[in-house]
Amino acid sequence: MALKNINPTKTKAWQKLTSHFDDIKDIHLKEFFKNNTNRASELSITFDDFKIDYSKNRITNETLDLLIELVNEVDLKDAIQKYFSGDIINTTENRAVLHTALRDSSSNKIIINNTDVKPEISLVLNEVELFSEKIISGEWKGFTGKSITDIVNIGIGGSDLGPNMVVNALQHYKNHLTTHFVSNIDGDHISEIIKKLNPETTLFIVVSKTFTTQETLTNSTTFKEWFLKSATPNDIFKHFVAVSSNITKATEFGINKENIFPMWNWVGGRFSLWSAVGLSISLSIGFQNFKKLLKGAEEMDMHFASADFNKNIPVVSALIGIWYNNFFNCETEAILPYSQYLNMFSDYLQQASMESNGKSVDRNGEKIDYQTGAIIWGNVGSNMQHAFMQLLHQGTKLIPTEFIGFEESLSGLTVHHKKLMANFYAQTEALAFGKTEEEVHLDLKFNHQSNKLTSLLPYKVFDGNKPSTTLLIKKLTPNSLGKLIATYEHKIFVQGIVWNIFSFDQFGVELGKELANKHLNKQ
Ligand code: F6P
């Protein structure tokens, strides 16, 4: 069954939200906290090792109630049920959307075209496990009899960003293998990577769902040519494997059939890290840790599918995003993790979110007259405090932010972690509450600078009232990272449902590819 087509702006809830927005848009966060001393605990959700505090947003309990009325009117419940059960909700590509099935460890069947997909998923997971063990243990030998030391993942978009971000984020858990990622068609990057490789001990994973992507095919050919300078075509099978749904093209490239891990058309590229696309993850941190990542995602899936909407982390995050995007007319959303390990997280989310919800035609095929996907960007704290935070604190734009922090560090360097987290809390406080003229006055006086009062006062005032949501997670583990990624996947899904768009196609990237080919043929 297809998704329903309901224009959100024509719902009763939208009309109520519009007038409610007029009522509260100018109220300062300070007022909200003054009027409700329980605000921080009321406007927060705890689930396992996750605590989300959304009290520093320009909302009231009524805002949330109305936003929930909105998702009820567009029948989010029905959409979630269709999403998890394999209905053809990617209508424009005539496909189901089943990345959640990849991490579903229950015995429930999921039927597509009269076939249960679960046995196939476990089969591929077994292959990933066996292969990972052979490479990690050193049992798999290269063409001169040496074990593998380096893995090169060749892919782009969803065939790169997810695994790359996860391998980077979980480097604390990694083994002796060195993992490289090559995505850009820029030959200079390949040349730099090649300098670090020995053909005798390198394994290349060509990851391409379609096996037609120009960047990936060009890069793979360059690596193959480099490899064949030292080895023979008969050695390719020991050094090149593929993850693809296009077996014909992958074998034509020279990859042995038994070295091809399958992908399915019901897994979108940007949601595919849970499939064999995550092979580089399993190789880098071991299959058991890869399974923990899947488990974490599954736990978030269960929370999303079963928790009441007002206590549902992905739903509430999605609704807060809609509130700023469609009522405050904010154009962007900043994702700010306080962990160097997550320095690729906003890059990853850019594709997941912007390729999904950057759409302007609704599910009725009509041009939309309201805003859809926000521009996602961000970087890690505390670095970004010394880069772009000035604009968020004192600039003219209203930018909602999501701060992600961890209670414990992995290194155990508590002095650093205390300072890191002090900055985390300080930023959200400064954004929300700012600094008044009186406070600046007192400050200058205290610092014996009262003589500079007239010249400096206006510049030192912070208006505050800048929204932030904080997600506090106990510790960065494969499990909690799985939960975190799944949270955003479902947030993207909920927003697409409300905006009445198809989130799982990406026709918008086609034109550039076509034109690039035309230019290439002219050269
Ligand atoms: O950028 C468009 C896109 O189709 C993405 O959706 C996808 O993740 C990426 O290209 C790579 O595609 P493939 O895995 O087929 O090489």
Side-chain angles (χ1 to χ4, degrees), residues 155-160 207-216 243 263 268-272 277 351 355 506 509-510 513:
I156 197 162
S159 299
D160 165 75
V207 187
S208 179
K209 185 173 163 184
T210 55
F211 225 88
T212 57
T213 306
Q214 189 194 55
E215 291 90 337
T216 305
V243 182
M263 266 186 95
R270 51 192 176 273
F271 303 102
S272 64
V277 171
Q351 190 208 10
E355 200 164 89
Q506 55 286 314
V509 296
E510 297 303 330
K513 289 185 192 174

mmCIF file of all heavy atoms in Angstrom, residues 155-160 207-216 243 263 268-272 277 351 355 506 509-510 513, ligand 1:
data_model
loop_
_atom_site.group_PDB
_atom_site.id
_atom_site.type_symbol
_atom_site.label_atom_id
_atom_site.label_comp_id
_atom_site.label_asym_id
_atom_site.label_seq_id
_atom_site.Cartn_x
_atom_site.Cartn_y
_atom_site.Cartn_z
ATOM 1 N N GLY A 155 33.929 4.009 -3.228
ATOM 2 C CA GLY A 155 32.489 4.230 -3.400
ATOM 3 C C GLY A 155 32.229 5.716 -3.212
ATOM 4 O O GLY A 155 33.139 6.471 -2.838
ATOM 5 N N ILE A 156 31.018 6.140 -3.458
ATOM 6 C CA ILE A 156 30.698 7.572 -3.273
ATOM 7 C C ILE A 156 29.270 7.699 -2.762
ATOM 8 O O ILE A 156 28.473 6.761 -2.902
ATOM 9 C CB ILE A 156 30.933 8.365 -4.591
ATOM 10 C CG1 ILE A 156 31.012 9.880 -4.321
ATOM 11 C CG2 ILE A 156 29.866 8.052 -5.644
ATOM 12 C CD1 ILE A 156 31.651 10.677 -5.441
ATOM 13 N N GLY A 157 28.941 8.850 -2.178
ATOM 14 C CA GLY A 157 27.591 9.054 -1.636
ATOM 15 C C GLY A 157 27.342 8.027 -0.546
ATOM 16 O O GLY A 157 28.189 7.802 0.333
ATOM 17 N N GLY A 158 26.211 7.338 -0.637
ATOM 18 C CA GLY A 158 25.868 6.357 0.382
ATOM 19 C C GLY A 158 26.828 5.181 0.434
ATOM 20 O O GLY A 158 26.895 4.474 1.437
ATOM 21 N N SER A 159 27.586 4.972 -0.638
ATOM 22 C CA SER A 159 28.540 3.867 -0.651
ATOM 23 C C SER A 159 29.877 4.273 -0.050
ATOM 24 O O SER A 159 30.853 3.517 -0.119
ATOM 25 C CB SER A 159 28.724 3.365 -2.091
ATOM 26 O OG SER A 159 27.478 2.902 -2.581
ATOM 27 N N ASP A 160 29.897 5.468 0.513
ATOM 28 C CA ASP A 160 31.124 5.971 1.141
ATOM 29 C C ASP A 160 30.828 6.640 2.487
ATOM 30 O O ASP A 160 31.427 6.309 3.511
ATOM 31 C CB ASP A 160 31.775 7.003 0.200
ATOM 32 C CG ASP A 160 32.834 7.842 0.871
ATOM 33 O OD1 ASP A 160 33.937 7.324 1.102
ATOM 34 O OD2 ASP A 160 32.555 9.019 1.204
ATOM 35 N N VAL A 207 32.399 -0.504 -3.820
ATOM 36 C CA VAL A 207 31.024 -0.451 -3.326
ATOM 37 C C VAL A 207 30.202 0.442 -4.250
ATOM 38 O O VAL A 207 30.423 1.654 -4.319
ATOM 39 C CB VAL A 207 30.968 0.104 -1.881
ATOM 40 C CG1 VAL A 207 29.548 -0.004 -1.327
ATOM 41 C CG2 VAL A 207 31.939 -0.637 -0.985
ATOM 42 N N SER A 208 29.298 -0.170 -4.972
ATOM 43 C CA SER A 208 28.412 0.607 -5.834
ATOM 44 C C SER A 208 27.146 -0.196 -6.078
ATOM 45 O O SER A 208 27.191 -1.260 -6.685
ATOM 46 C CB SER A 208 29.091 0.927 -7.171
ATOM 47 O OG SER A 208 28.194 1.654 -7.980
ATOM 48 N N LYS A 209 26.050 0.343 -5.573
ATOM 49 C CA LYS A 209 24.780 -0.370 -5.722
ATOM 50 C C LYS A 209 24.501 -0.606 -7.206
ATOM 51 O O LYS A 209 24.178 -1.700 -7.629
ATOM 52 C CB LYS A 209 23.676 0.476 -5.088
ATOM 53 C CG LYS A 209 22.337 -0.193 -5.052
ATOM 54 C CD LYS A 209 21.366 0.675 -4.256
ATOM 55 C CE LYS A 209 19.938 0.293 -4.514
ATOM 56 N NZ LYS A 209 18.992 1.154 -3.840
ATOM 57 N N THR A 210 24.691 0.440 -8.010
ATOM 58 C CA THR A 210 24.352 0.333 -9.435
ATOM 59 C C THR A 210 25.513 -0.190 -10.274
ATOM 60 O O THR A 210 25.327 -0.684 -11.369
ATOM 61 C CB THR A 210 23.997 1.735 -9.979
ATOM 62 O OG1 THR A 210 25.107 2.601 -9.673
ATOM 63 C CG2 THR A 210 22.742 2.275 -9.336
ATOM 64 N N PHE A 211 26.700 -0.044 -9.803
ATOM 65 C CA PHE A 211 27.952 -0.320 -10.525
ATOM 66 C C PHE A 211 28.012 0.464 -11.844
ATOM 67 O O PHE A 211 28.556 0.011 -12.848
ATOM 68 C CB PHE A 211 28.140 -1.827 -10.775
ATOM 69 C CG PHE A 211 29.559 -2.261 -10.464
ATOM 70 C CD1 PHE A 211 29.928 -2.661 -9.190
ATOM 71 C CD2 PHE A 211 30.555 -2.230 -11.443
ATOM 72 C CE1 PHE A 211 31.250 -3.023 -8.892
ATOM 73 C CE2 PHE A 211 31.868 -2.582 -11.158
ATOM 74 C CZ PHE A 211 32.206 -2.984 -9.883
ATOM 75 N N THR A 212 27.431 1.650 -11.838
ATOM 76 C CA THR A 212 27.488 2.502 -13.039
ATOM 77 C C THR A 212 28.003 3.890 -12.679
ATOM 78 O O THR A 212 28.067 4.764 -13.534
ATOM 79 C CB THR A 212 26.077 2.679 -13.656
ATOM 80 O OG1 THR A 212 25.225 3.229 -12.645
ATOM 81 C CG2 THR A 212 25.492 1.378 -14.174
ATOM 82 N N THR A 213 28.332 4.106 -11.419
ATOM 83 C CA THR A 213 28.699 5.459 -10.970
ATOM 84 C C THR A 213 30.093 5.837 -11.480
ATOM 85 O O THR A 213 31.069 5.126 -11.226
ATOM 86 C CB THR A 213 28.623 5.529 -9.432
ATOM 87 O OG1 THR A 213 27.313 5.090 -9.054
ATOM 88 C CG2 THR A 213 28.859 6.914 -8.903
ATOM 89 N N GLN A 214 30.125 6.963 -12.190
ATOM 90 C CA GLN A 214 31.359 7.356 -12.885
ATOM 91 C C GLN A 214 32.571 7.422 -11.952
ATOM 92 O O GLN A 214 33.640 6.888 -12.257
ATOM 93 C CB GLN A 214 31.121 8.729 -13.532
ATOM 94 C CG GLN A 214 32.221 9.168 -14.444
ATOM 95 C CD GLN A 214 32.104 10.656 -14.772
ATOM 96 O OE1 GLN A 214 32.054 11.513 -13.893
ATOM 97 N NE2 GLN A 214 32.044 10.968 -16.049
ATOM 98 N N GLU A 215 32.388 8.063 -10.805
ATOM 99 C CA GLU A 215 33.518 8.248 -9.888
ATOM 100 C C GLU A 215 34.083 6.895 -9.436
ATOM 101 O O GLU A 215 35.291 6.656 -9.476
ATOM 102 C CB GLU A 215 33.073 9.032 -8.637
ATOM 103 C CG GLU A 215 32.733 10.486 -8.858
ATOM 104 C CD GLU A 215 31.271 10.717 -9.200
ATOM 105 O OE1 GLU A 215 30.610 9.778 -9.696
ATOM 106 O OE2 GLU A 215 30.795 11.851 -8.973
ATOM 107 N N THR A 216 33.174 6.018 -9.013
ATOM 108 C CA THR A 216 33.604 4.729 -8.451
ATOM 109 C C THR A 216 34.258 3.860 -9.519
ATOM 110 O O THR A 216 35.276 3.208 -9.263
ATOM 111 C CB THR A 216 32.385 4.026 -7.817
ATOM 112 O OG1 THR A 216 31.817 4.923 -6.866
ATOM 113 C CG2 THR A 216 32.764 2.729 -7.144
ATOM 114 N N VAL A 243 30.621 -4.821 -3.542
ATOM 115 C CA VAL A 243 29.290 -4.839 -2.925
ATOM 116 C C VAL A 243 28.393 -4.156 -3.938
ATOM 117 O O VAL A 243 28.593 -2.975 -4.241
ATOM 118 C CB VAL A 243 29.262 -4.075 -1.588
ATOM 119 C CG1 VAL A 243 27.879 -4.174 -0.958
ATOM 120 C CG2 VAL A 243 30.336 -4.581 -0.636
ATOM 121 N N MET A 263 23.532 -6.417 -2.816
ATOM 122 C CA MET A 263 22.726 -5.306 -2.271
ATOM 123 C C MET A 263 21.348 -5.456 -2.877
ATOM 124 O O MET A 263 21.219 -6.042 -3.943
ATOM 125 C CB MET A 263 23.304 -3.981 -2.731
ATOM 126 C CG MET A 263 24.256 -3.357 -1.768
ATOM 127 S SD MET A 263 24.687 -1.753 -2.413
ATOM 128 C CE MET A 263 23.518 -0.719 -1.545
ATOM 129 N N GLY A 268 18.078 1.884 0.227
ATOM 130 C CA GLY A 268 18.588 3.098 -0.423
ATOM 131 C C GLY A 268 20.064 3.268 -0.091
ATOM 132 O O GLY A 268 20.508 2.943 1.015
ATOM 133 N N GLY A 269 20.842 3.795 -1.050
ATOM 134 C CA GLY A 269 22.282 3.970 -0.844
ATOM 135 C C GLY A 269 22.601 4.689 0.462
ATOM 136 O O GLY A 269 23.468 4.265 1.235
ATOM 137 N N ARG A 270 21.873 5.770 0.742
ATOM 138 C CA ARG A 270 22.209 6.582 1.931
ATOM 139 C C ARG A 270 21.773 5.935 3.244
ATOM 140 O O ARG A 270 22.018 6.473 4.313
ATOM 141 C CB ARG A 270 21.654 7.998 1.780
ATOM 142 C CG ARG A 270 20.174 8.082 1.418
ATOM 143 C CD ARG A 270 19.799 9.501 1.001
ATOM 144 N NE ARG A 270 18.409 9.619 0.561
ATOM 145 C CZ ARG A 270 17.997 9.403 -0.676
ATOM 146 N NH1 ARG A 270 18.861 9.006 -1.601
ATOM 147 N NH2 ARG A 270 16.736 9.549 -1.008
ATOM 148 N N PHE A 271 21.087 4.797 3.151
ATOM 149 C CA PHE A 271 20.665 4.070 4.363
ATOM 150 C C PHE A 271 21.268 2.663 4.373
ATOM 151 O O PHE A 271 20.725 1.763 5.003
ATOM 152 C CB PHE A 271 19.133 3.984 4.410
ATOM 153 C CG PHE A 271 18.466 5.335 4.371
ATOM 154 C CD1 PHE A 271 17.889 5.818 3.205
ATOM 155 C CD2 PHE A 271 18.450 6.146 5.497
ATOM 156 C CE1 PHE A 271 17.301 7.082 3.165
ATOM 157 C CE2 PHE A 271 17.868 7.411 5.461
ATOM 158 C CZ PHE A 271 17.301 7.880 4.299
ATOM 159 N N SER A 272 22.386 2.488 3.637
ATOM 160 C CA SER A 272 22.843 1.107 3.366
ATOM 161 C C SER A 272 23.987 0.621 4.241
ATOM 162 O O SER A 272 24.452 -0.492 4.069
ATOM 163 C CB SER A 272 23.244 0.998 1.897
ATOM 164 O OG SER A 272 24.355 1.839 1.646
ATOM 165 N N VAL A 277 27.334 -3.138 2.518
ATOM 166 C CA VAL A 277 28.034 -1.855 2.316
ATOM 167 C C VAL A 277 28.888 -1.538 3.549
ATOM 168 O O VAL A 277 29.906 -0.859 3.477
ATOM 169 C CB VAL A 277 27.007 -0.721 2.007
ATOM 170 C CG1 VAL A 277 27.650 0.639 2.017
ATOM 171 C CG2 VAL A 277 26.347 -0.991 0.661
ATOM 172 N N GLN A 351 23.955 14.091 3.350
ATOM 173 C CA GLN A 351 23.382 13.248 2.285
ATOM 174 C C GLN A 351 22.088 12.601 2.752
ATOM 175 O O GLN A 351 21.068 12.640 2.051
ATOM 176 C CB GLN A 351 24.355 12.151 1.838
ATOM 177 C CG GLN A 351 23.822 11.462 0.572
ATOM 178 C CD GLN A 351 24.251 10.021 0.380
ATOM 179 O OE1 GLN A 351 24.830 9.400 1.270
ATOM 180 N NE2 GLN A 351 23.952 9.464 -0.777
ATOM 181 N N GLU A 355 19.512 14.688 0.553
ATOM 182 C CA GLU A 355 19.154 13.912 -0.648
ATOM 183 C C GLU A 355 17.739 13.334 -0.478
ATOM 184 O O GLU A 355 17.041 13.094 -1.451
ATOM 185 C CB GLU A 355 20.175 12.782 -0.881
ATOM 186 C CG GLU A 355 20.180 12.260 -2.301
ATOM 187 C CD GLU A 355 21.406 11.426 -2.657
ATOM 188 O OE1 GLU A 355 21.353 10.193 -2.446
ATOM 189 O OE2 GLU A 355 22.410 11.971 -3.130
ATOM 190 N N GLN A 506 15.988 10.140 -5.613
ATOM 191 C CA GLN A 506 16.980 11.224 -5.675
ATOM 192 C C GLN A 506 17.185 11.661 -7.118
ATOM 193 O O GLN A 506 18.303 11.753 -7.607
ATOM 194 C CB GLN A 506 18.316 10.823 -5.018
ATOM 195 C CG GLN A 506 18.989 9.532 -5.535
ATOM 196 C CD GLN A 506 18.301 8.282 -5.080
ATOM 197 O OE1 GLN A 506 17.964 8.154 -3.913
ATOM 198 N NE2 GLN A 506 18.075 7.357 -5.998
ATOM 199 N N VAL A 509 19.780 14.439 -8.538
ATOM 200 C CA VAL A 509 21.222 14.371 -8.797
ATOM 201 C C VAL A 509 21.510 13.892 -10.219
ATOM 202 O O VAL A 509 22.661 13.860 -10.652
ATOM 203 C CB VAL A 509 21.952 13.477 -7.763
ATOM 204 C CG1 VAL A 509 21.848 14.054 -6.380
ATOM 205 C CG2 VAL A 509 21.422 12.057 -7.780
ATOM 206 N N GLU A 510 20.436 13.545 -10.959
ATOM 207 C CA GLU A 510 20.638 12.943 -12.279
ATOM 208 C C GLU A 510 21.128 13.942 -13.338
ATOM 209 O O GLU A 510 22.010 13.637 -14.130
ATOM 210 C CB GLU A 510 19.332 12.299 -12.785
ATOM 211 C CG GLU A 510 18.825 11.151 -11.931
ATOM 212 C CD GLU A 510 19.844 10.037 -11.786
ATOM 213 O OE1 GLU A 510 20.652 9.840 -12.713
ATOM 214 O OE2 GLU A 510 19.846 9.386 -10.724
ATOM 215 N N LYS A 513 24.754 14.588 -13.557
ATOM 216 C CA LYS A 513 25.496 13.439 -14.096
ATOM 217 C C LYS A 513 25.399 13.421 -15.619
ATOM 218 O O LYS A 513 26.389 13.230 -16.310
ATOM 219 C CB LYS A 513 24.904 12.130 -13.546
ATOM 220 C CG LYS A 513 25.166 11.878 -12.080
ATOM 221 C CD LYS A 513 24.628 10.502 -11.715
ATOM 222 C CE LYS A 513 24.581 10.297 -10.229
ATOM 223 N NZ LYS A 513 23.946 9.052 -9.838
HETATM 224 O O1 F6P B 1 24.464 10.796 -5.604
HETATM 225 C C1 F6P B 1 23.510 9.955 -6.141
HETATM 226 C C2 F6P B 1 23.675 8.538 -5.717
HETATM 227 O O2 F6P B 1 22.796 7.795 -6.476
HETATM 228 C C3 F6P B 1 23.437 8.314 -4.217
HETATM 229 O O3 F6P B 1 22.116 8.226 -3.880
HETATM 230 C C4 F6P B 1 24.220 7.063 -3.981
HETATM 231 O O4 F6P B 1 24.438 6.859 -2.627
HETATM 232 C C5 F6P B 1 25.464 7.361 -4.780
HETATM 233 O O5 F6P B 1 24.987 8.047 -5.919
HETATM 234 C C6 F6P B 1 26.295 6.178 -5.184
HETATM 235 O O6 F6P B 1 25.593 5.267 -5.964
HETATM 236 P P1 F6P B 1 26.112 3.803 -6.219
HETATM 237 O O7 F6P B 1 26.193 3.082 -4.922
HETATM 238 O O8 F6P B 1 25.132 3.189 -7.151
HETATM 239 O O9 F6P B 1 27.491 3.913 -6.849
#
